[in-house]
Amino acid sequence: MSDVAVSVKGLTKIYGHKTVVDAIDMEVPAGSIYGFLGPNGSGKTTTIRMMCGLLTPDAGEGHTLGYDIQKQAREIKERVGYMTQKFSLYTDLTIRENLDFMARMYRLPNRKKVVTRTIEELGLSGRGNQLAGTLSGGWKQRLALAAAMQHKPQLLLLDEPTAGVDPKARRDFWDEIRRLSKEGVTILVSTHYMDEAIQCDNIAYIAYGKLLIHGPAREIPARVGLTTWRVDGPDLIPLEDELRADPRVEQVARFGAQLHVSSTNAKALEELVAEQRKKDKQHRWVKKEAELEEAFIYLMTTAADNFTPNGEAKP
Amino acid sequence: MNLFSLSRFRAVLVKEFIQMRRDRLTFAMMIGVPVIQLLLFGYAINNDPRNLPTLLELGEESKVARAVVSGMDTSDYFDFQGFVFGPDAGDKALREGSANFVVVIPPDFERDILRGLSPELLVTADASDPTAVGSAVAALSGIVETAIAQTLDGPLTAVAGRPPPFSMVVHKQFNPEGRTATNIVPGLLAIILAMTMVLITAVAIVRETERGTMETLISTPVRSTEVMLGKILPYVLIGYVQTLLFLIMAKILFNVPFEGSRMAFFVGFNIYVVVNLALGFLISTLVHTQMQAMQASFFLILPTILLSGFMFPFAGMPGWAQAIGTAIPATHFLRIVRKIMLKGAQMADIAIDLRAIAIIGGMIVLIALLRYRRTLD
């Protein structure tokens, strides 16, 4: 095995007249947790589907676990675990029947034992005969993850696995992901949540089908190059309006009772802060470390200016 | 008081029309079904079929015999297709369905008429479809009498006039009592299987796509043939149960005989079921929801009932309708079932129908496999 789990070049998918995925180059290092971020309809799901051979790209090429994504889809499928965005096991089968079905699909030896162990590891012993459809959202996700992991894949593709799941279940889910990563499984996970993005080793950000930035998570804010000041105090709304109108401010984002004011031009922003401090004693300005969230909002906004979206992309 | 808001009512009304227009299949059904029904009922269906294929067994070559033949031929109920020699050949043609009538003019027919011996003119009719042959049989006696009367000149004038100088024996074969149930029940099996097998398969497969489980399924290394066979086999078994139940009830409740070869039935039945399941599979590749799958199946069942010869005699339909009917698998299975149950057909007698079903089935499977892809695009 090379040290690259997934590598794609110029990956493109077109539905009708809409380019859903536009010439994406990406490399997922083996053994890493790779976060795949981007707004809804940005092409994350389509990209993941192409990586595991479910969709044929219209242009570009790629290899997953060393196999050609166009010609060796079957080899890839044998070695990849894929968890869909929507729960897609059989709701009218029991937990055990679902796991048994998946075990048969991958022709696992000692099927009965494997399934029993999976159920035990899930902590669902004694509930194996419960219908999968009656599980709560969090448990459904864990079951789907267990089903995708049963054949011990080298690569796990998770498509928004925690969407609509409560915070406790989300935390448990990520504990499980980190445990799998320690065992050497490469994980590509798409998400909307910043607290999840921070837990990734590497991050790629995609919007309107284009890959805007990718790299190690901690380097992303610096690469975007934003300087951010945090403001708190009373009556933030008029201040927010005033700051938005100022050409030296590129981005104002509200976080709870604070405003995060950002710009790529650190000097201009410092001038503004000095002016504000002089005329307005109510608000407190503190320079802060740039974080992922501001960086992504910034990327999103500039991307929106560059590519006018024509309607919602196909999921 | 605001008991009824016109604005809200209009909102619902407009929304309903928008949704109706968006669901193109439903829309097509609403417009298509009445149009197709009208065309089928109006043009294709004819309960007084003409030009029924007829064979002739000629015991003598005489003026009277020729007159009978040409009289029947010009009546346009009958369409003379050729001659047979010996009773076995005639029976075989009737059993295979290549002829609806066999007319036997015995030797010395003309001489016996002259002698006033009232010879027998034997007409064997395939009564397994009583509607198809009924009116022709009814008209037969008059046609033959007129034809003979016209030839009775010269030395024959002596015997002209009443009573008719011959007796006509009509032998209704396969369903001597002309019972409708005997005709309908075997045909019904073909229709019931077509209805349930196509629908069940289509719905079962579309359910995977509709619920999203297809995505998990195809993310595994599974092959399309494995999915197709695995999904279809349970429904083949259901087809077995249906048919067994059906045959038992046909015997007990309607006393429909089962004269022919069980083996031939078994072979024909299996091929037919597979073809119907493949058709269901094909539908599933064309629609997106279970609802659409049901609509599409319903859309197919209409011509199956009307053009297969189940409800209305196949021979009575115009050429274009027969062409459509020939492309429907039920048309051929219906013939197989009637032949075997009522006419005592053996494997050789149904070979032609088996071949037709196999050809149709092969084409359906081919298209279905081309339509079904392992990828999602």
Side-chain angles (χ1 to χ4, degrees):
Chain A
M1 258 311 295
S2 67
D3 47 1
V4 179
V6 182
S7 143
V8 293
K9 276 196 186 65
L11 205 61
T12 301
K13 184 76 197 174
I14 301 164
Y15 285 120
H17 294 292
K18 190 166 167 57
T19 306
V20 180
V21 175
D22 192 357
I24 281 186
D25 298 338
M26 220 170 118
E27 256 184 27
V28 179
S32 66
I33 301 180
Y34 199 98
F36 199 19
L37 284 89
N40 289 329
S42 55
K44 298 191 297 287
T45 301
T46 309
T47 307
I48 291 178
R49 282 175 174 174
M50 285 193 281
M51 284 173 174
C52 60
L54 288 183
L55 277 178
T56 321
D58 290 313
E61 44 144 34
H63 288 82
T64 296
L65 300 171
Y67 297 100
D68 190 302
I69 58 168
Q70 300 195 49
K71 294 183 197 112
Q72 293 171 297
R74 197 173 306 279
E75 282 81 358
I76 294 174
K77 286 174 181 178
E78 301 259 11
R79 292 163 180 83
V80 168
Y82 173 47
M83 190 178 147
T84 53
Q85 198 170 340
K86 197 183 138 216
F87 182 70
S88 61
L89 292 173
Y90 298 94
T91 50
D92 46 358
L93 293 190
T94 65
I95 293 164
R96 180 178 292 278
E97 285 160 349
N98 266 305
L99 291 172
D100 191 65
F101 178 77
M102 291 303 276
R104 278 183 202 264
M105 279 287 140
Y106 293 96
R107 294 187 290 175
L108 301 185
N110 301 321
R111 211 180 63 243
K112 271 218 165 106
K113 256 195 205 152
V114 170
V115 170
T116 305
R117 207 181 54 225
T118 308
I119 294 176
E120 275 167 14
E121 283 173 4
L122 262 173
L124 286 174
S125 309
R127 289 171 70 186
N129 294 326
Q130 188 181 337
L131 290 182
T134 63
L135 287 170
S136 70
W139 275 111
K140 273 185 187 156
Q141 294 309 86
R142 291 185 63 181
L143 174 62
L145 178 64
M149 280 306 298
Q150 228 181 183
H151 61 290
K152 306 239 171 295
Q154 299 157 8
L155 170 67
L156 198 51
L157 300 174
L158 307 173
D159 192 5
E160 287 184 26
T162 54
V165 168
D166 68 60
K168 165 79 168 67
R170 219 142 63 78
R171 196 179 293 264
D172 293 346
F173 194 86
W174 270 87
D175 288 345
E176 182 66 13
I177 288 178
R178 270 193 305 276
R179 190 184 65 77
L180 291 169
S181 173
K182 257 184 224 139
E183 287 174 10
V185 181
T186 309
I187 293 157
L188 173 68
V189 52
S190 75
T191 180
H192 286 303
Y193 298 107
M194 289 306 142
D195 58 328
E196 294 183 358
I198 294 163
Q199 304 195 42
C200 298
D201 304 319
N202 290 281
I203 283 175
Y205 190 87
I206 179 176
Y208 309 111
K210 287 197 189 278
L211 191 66
L212 300 182
I213 197 167
H214 65 120
R218 57 185 182 287
E219 289 178 18
I220 298 273
R223 280 211 216 161
V224 174
L226 279 187
T227 308
T228 299
W229 288 77
R230 189 173 64 213
V231 195
D232 54 26
D235 299 328
L236 285 174
I237 294 170
L239 178 66
E240 191 178 341
D241 291 341
E242 187 194 334
L243 290 171
R244 274 191 206 281
D246 197 303
R248 288 167 296 184
V249 175
E250 286 178 59
Q251 178 177 310
V252 184
R254 180 134 191 180
F255 287 86
Q258 302 173 338
L259 291 179
H260 290 187
V261 185
S262 316
S263 169
T264 43
N265 187 340
K267 250 210 167 119
L269 201 58
E270 244 158 81
E271 275 174 38
L272 171 102
V273 172
E275 282 171 25
Q276 283 289 337
R277 277 176 167 161
K278 219 179 266 169
K279 73 171 185 186
D280 170 12
K281 300 288 175 203
Q282 291 188 67
H283 294 100
R284 209 154 53 86
W285 289 76
V286 182
K287 191 170 183 179
K288 70 182 278 287
E289 191 102 350
E291 280 177 54
L292 273 176
E293 190 138 11
E294 284 105 41
F296 288 139
I297 294 171
Y298 177 77
L299 286 172
M300 250 310 278
T301 325
T302 40
D305 294 343
N306 291 343
F307 319 102
T308 321
N310 42 353
E312 182 91 31
K314 239 183 143 159
Chain B
M1 275 303 282
N2 191 357
L3 286 177
F4 189 91
S5 155
L6 212 59
S7 141
R8 286 193 296 250
F9 159 73
R10 199 179 298 139
V12 175
L13 195 73
V14 169
K15 174 202 74 101
E16 213 59 36
F17 272 117
I18 293 173
Q19 288 176 323
M20 198 190 286
R21 209 185 52 219
R22 296 270 155 79
D23 186 357
R24 267 182 281 163
L25 196 71
T26 306
F27 196 67
M29 290 276 298
M30 286 186 296
I31 303 301
V33 166
V35 169
I36 289 178
Q37 279 201 353
L38 187 67
L39 291 178
L40 289 185
F41 276 120
Y43 289 116
I45 289 160
N46 177 7
N47 262 330
D48 186 20
R50 308 291 168 115
N51 296 318
L52 298 168
T54 304
L55 292 172
L56 189 63
E57 192 184 332
L58 214 48
E60 67 168 19
E61 184 72 41
S62 68
K63 206 174 162 193
V64 170
R66 278 197 300 278
V68 169
V69 171
S70 71
M72 283 174 73
D73 210 12
T74 48
S75 77
D76 71 57
Y77 273 112
F78 304 93
D79 179 18
F80 273 108
Q81 304 240 311
F83 297 95
V84 283
F85 304 97
D88 288 350
D91 279 352
K92 184 167 183 287
L94 288 175
R95 206 166 49 235
E96 280 180 357
S98 57
N100 284 111
F101 295 99
V102 175
V103 177
V104 181
I105 297 179
D108 303 328
F109 188 63
E110 190 176 282
R111 196 193 67 195
D112 289 349
I113 287 179
L114 286 175
R115 290 183 181 170
L117 290 176
S118 190
E120 283 183 352
L121 180 73
L122 181 67
V123 177
T124 315
D126 172 3
S128 67
D129 189 350
T131 356
V133 296
S135 37
V137 167
L140 187 58
S141 179
I143 292 166
V144 176
E145 258 175 64
T146 319
I148 292 181
Q150 280 166 1
T151 57
L152 296 181
D153 52 3
L156 299 174
T157 31
V159 290
R162 270 151 261 162
F166 67 99
S167 61
M168 199 172 72
V169 179
V170 176
H171 182 194
K172 289 184 180 169
Q173 213 168 349
F174 310 128
N175 181 13
E177 299 147 51
R179 286 196 318 157
T180 310
T182 307
N183 168 251
I184 290 292
V185 169
L188 205 52
L189 179 64
I191 302 298
I192 289 175
L193 283 175
M195 249 156 80
T196 51
M197 294 289 101
V198 172
L199 179 65
I200 288 174
T201 327
V203 165
I205 295 166
V206 172
R207 194 169 53 207
E208 298 259 5
T209 333
E210 201 178 356
R211 291 193 189 164
T213 50
M214 188 57 104
E215 201 178 350
T216 292
L217 192 60
I218 65 172
S219 74
T220 71
V222 75
R223 286 170 199 276
S224 56
T225 42
E226 292 157 0
V227 176
M228 194 162 172
L229 286 178
K231 290 217 72 126
I232 274 180
L233 203 63
Y235 300 107
V236 174
L237 294 180
I238 289 182
Y240 273 74
V241 174
Q242 283 186 333
T243 305
L244 202 64
L245 258 174
F246 187 91
L247 290 177
I248 293 170
M249 282 167 59
K251 180 75 193 158
I252 294 175
L253 299 180
F254 297 100
N255 198 24
V256 176
F258 194 105
E259 308 276 2
S261 152
R262 277 158 205 256
M263 188 62 203
F265 181 84
F266 188 71
V267 170
F269 163 76
N270 278 301
I271 295 177
Y272 181 63
V273 165
V274 168
V275 170
N276 275 315
L277 297 174
L279 190 58
F281 202 94
L282 177 60
I283 290 178
S284 75
T285 64
L286 300 170
V287 300
H288 300 291
T289 63
Q290 298 183 58
M291 179 69 185
Q292 290 179 336
M294 277 169 75
Q295 287 176 332
S297 310
F298 174 71
F299 197 70
L300 272 185
I301 209 69
L302 197 69
T304 302
I305 291 175
L306 297 180
L307 297 183
S308 64
F310 165 66
M311 268 177 109
F312 309 101
F314 194 81
M317 301 191 305
W320 60 267
Q322 289 193 354
I324 300 175
T326 306
I328 297 171
T331 305
H332 306 282
F333 186 61
L334 192 116
R335 291 178 189 166
I336 291 179
V337 180
R338 282 183 183 162
K339 280 181 192 179
I340 292 175
M341 289 181 73
L342 308 181
K343 303 184 183 178
Q346 305 298 311
M347 193 65 100
D349 301 315
I350 62 163
I352 183 169
D353 308 295
L354 283 181
R355 204 185 56 191
I357 295 186
I359 292 171
I360 297 169
M363 286 168 71
I364 292 172
V365 170
L366 192 73
I367 301 171
L369 278 178
L370 287 176
R371 287 279 320 168
Y372 176 81
R373 306 205 199 124
R374 264 167 300 116
T375 49
L376 283 170
D377 42 1

